[in-house]
């Protein structure tokens, strides 16, 4: 069960962040409204929020999930693979230190984005991507193993439309794992009850289980129906402005 989440309000320069999406420029005011709705949904799931101020030096810093991996009492600060995002870690480290007694850090030459990490009942799938390299993945696996967790690596590089591992998979609890087609056939995921995300709804593969509820992006009826058929309560949230900046629903919070 989660009791807390850390989020960061989008900055006015949010549109200057990194993106490969060809969906137009995000609207700042709409992004603020969508972010508020996201925060309210987390609160409705029972979480107490720490809301950080916008960081004017880092337009992508609303995507706080990329700055840390949380594992029990340990917080692993990442070393983001995009140079423009490197400074985001120092601006959140103090907040994490207030909650986690054991804080360690990915060091060069390792790079790692939190969006490449998918935790499933104590096992951590670590995506090797354009942002997370093998050195970073191996450092993280070592930090996790020291705390009794297991880890394995999933190749993400070169899969069209997939920035991070969690752009294509989500662990939804109770053995349910949502996956887009390129991941659904991997042997690593066969032990799970696979929720196959239709190609036209691939953005919805990035959903999160928060206590008893799944938060998913709004506008993906097949995925929503599949989750409801599993008996999972769903809150669907408008995410368009974040999608324009290559951001998914999980990226907007660190949950613990
Ligand atoms: N805009 C999110 C990212 O590229 O990291």
């Amino acid at each position: 069960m989660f009791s807390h989440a850390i989020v960061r309000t989008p900055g006015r320069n949010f549109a200057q962040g990194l993106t490969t999406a060809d969906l137009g420029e995000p609207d700042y005011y709409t992004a603020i409204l969508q972010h508020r709705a996201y925060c309210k949904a987390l609160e409705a799931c029972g979480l107490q929020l720490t809301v950080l101020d916008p960081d004017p030096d880092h337009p992508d810093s609303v995507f706080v999930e990329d700055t840390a991996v949380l594992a029990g009492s340990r917080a692993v600060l990442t070393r983001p693979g995009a140079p423009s995002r490197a400074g985001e870690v120092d601006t959140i480290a103090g907040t994490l230190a207030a909650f986690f007694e054991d804080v360690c850090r990915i060091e060069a030459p390792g790079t790692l984005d939190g969006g490449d990490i998918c935790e499933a009942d104590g096992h951590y799938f670590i995506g090797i991507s354009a942002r997370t390299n093998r050195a970073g993945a191996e450092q993280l696996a070592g930090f996790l193993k020291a705390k009794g967790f297991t880890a394995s690596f999933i190749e993400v590089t070169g899969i069209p439309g997939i920035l991070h591992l969690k752009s294509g998979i989500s662990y939804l609890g109770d053995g349910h794992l949502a996956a887009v087609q390129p991941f659904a056939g991997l042997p690593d995921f066969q032990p799970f009850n696979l929720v196959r995300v239709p190609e036209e709804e691939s953005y919805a593969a990035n959903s999160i289980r928060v206590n008893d509820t799944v938060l998913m992006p709004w506008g993906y009826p097949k995925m929503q129906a599949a989750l409801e058929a599993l008996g999972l309560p769903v809150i669907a949230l408008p995410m368009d402005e974040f999608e324009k900046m290559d951001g998914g629903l999980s990226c907007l919070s660190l949950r613990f």
Side-chain angles (χ1 to χ4, degrees):
M1 293 289 279
F2 297 126
S3 56
H4 288 81
I6 299 170
V7 298
R8 189 186 289 283
T9 305
R12 285 188 176 273
N13 61 352
F14 171 57
Q16 291 162 24
L18 301 170
T19 187
T20 58
D22 191 14
L23 297 172
E25 190 167 313
D27 177 70
Y28 166 71
Y29 295 101
T30 309
I32 290 286
L33 292 178
Q34 293 186 352
H35 195 262
R36 277 192 199 147
Y38 179 87
C39 291
K40 282 192 183 309
L42 291 177
E43 287 175 333
C45 294
L47 305 198
Q48 188 178 335
L49 299 194
T50 297
V51 183
L52 303 178
D53 290 335
D55 173 357
D57 295 329
H58 299 101
D60 279 309
S61 57
V62 67
F63 301 121
V64 289
E65 185 184 54
D66 288 318
T67 62
V69 178
L70 308 177
S73 60
R74 172 164 277 185
V76 181
L77 300 176
T78 65
R79 187 165 178 270
S84 67
R85 301 196 61 188
E88 292 177 27
V89 176
D90 287 335
T91 65
I92 206 168
T95 303
L96 286 164
F99 288 105
F100 291 85
E101 59 198 42
D102 174 2
V103 179
C104 48
R105 193 167 192 138
I106 302 296
E107 304 286 354
T111 63
L112 190 126
D113 280 14
D116 276 316
I117 316 307
C118 179
E119 188 263 341
D121 296 335
H123 182 81
Y124 287 71
F125 293 106
I126 305 176
I128 309 290
S129 71
R131 300 286 178 86
T132 296
N133 65 18
R134 197 157 283 271
E138 283 171 358
Q139 287 178 42
L140 177 62
F143 287 138
L144 294 169
K145 192 175 169 197
K147 286 289 182 184
F149 300 105
T150 55
S152 57
F153 301 161
I154 304 289
E155 192 56 61
V156 172
T157 316
I159 299 179
I162 301 292
L163 174 64
H164 291 126
L165 176 62
K166 277 191 297 198
S167 311
I169 68 166
S170 301
Y171 183 60
L172 300 173
D174 300 321
H176 305 305
L177 187 131
V180 295
Q181 192 276 331
F183 292 118
L186 294 184
D188 312 66
F189 301 134
Q190 300 317 303
F192 296 94
N193 173 38
L194 281 172
V195 179
R196 291 172 188 271
V197 183
E199 190 174 348
E200 69 276 17
E201 295 199 359
S202 61
Y203 183 68
N206 184 269
S207 296
I208 54 174
R209 173 84 176 255
V210 184
N211 299 335
D212 295 330
T213 303
V214 174
L215 272 49
M216 65 169 288
W218 184 86
Y220 300 93
K222 291 179 185 165
M223 175 72 166
Q224 184 162 347
L227 297 179
E228 288 171 348
L230 294 171
L232 292 166
V234 170
I235 299 176
L237 293 164
M239 285 289 297
D240 324 47
E241 303 312 303
F242 301 103
E243 183 180 11
K244 289 173 183 172
M245 299 307 295
D246 279 349
L249 203 143
S250 73
C251 315
L252 292 178
S253 61
L254 283 162
R255 305 160 296 281
F256 52 98

